Amino acid sequence: MSAGLRTVRCAAALAHLEGTGQDLDHVEVHGRYLDYRKKDEAIECFIDLGWRYWRSATRYLDDGQAWFEVLPATARHPRYALHITPGARR
């Protein structure tokens, strides 16, 4: 994935999350914190670009953090994303 395409996908994901009321200071994007002073336990949502960190999703969800997966674009489906939020524990 080119850096330009990654930037566009990241910007779209951040705009969507911001529109839903997500505090962007508590977001980790593709393995990097937006606010470098935050620690892992302060992260509320992880954004992944293209399934790269998918194997780590259960760790984030088990910690009560949301997962926002930006799916790879295709000619038929240019922009899809998957937003998973953890449910209440029983």
Side-chain angles (χ1 to χ4, degrees):
M1 176 187 334
S2 72
L5 181 57
R6 189 175 314 123
T7 301
V8 169
R9 292 170 67 194
C10 179
L14 290 171
H16 171 80
L17 290 173
E18 188 174 41
T20 64
Q22 173 67 53
D23 180 0
L24 297 184
D25 286 342
H26 298 276
V27 172
E28 183 179 348
V29 179
H30 210 59
R32 294 190 176 162
Y33 301 121
L34 290 183
D35 183 345
Y36 67 91
R37 297 168 295 189
K38 299 290 182 197
K39 303 231 184 293
D40 189 48
E41 61 271 3
I43 297 302
E44 297 172 0
C45 185
F46 183 92
I47 298 174
D48 189 23
L49 307 172
W51 303 112
R52 184 168 179 192
Y53 292 93
W54 181 246
R55 291 182 183 170
S56 301
T58 54
R59 184 190 73 178
Y60 286 88
L61 295 170
D62 286 347
D63 286 345
Q65 301 164 346
W67 186 273
F68 193 85
E69 181 70 43
V70 181
L71 304 175
T74 67
R76 293 182 64 201
H77 305 289
R79 291 192 183 104
Y80 276 131
L82 176 65
H83 191 184
I84 303 170
T85 55
R89 297 226 176 220
R90 295 181 192 199

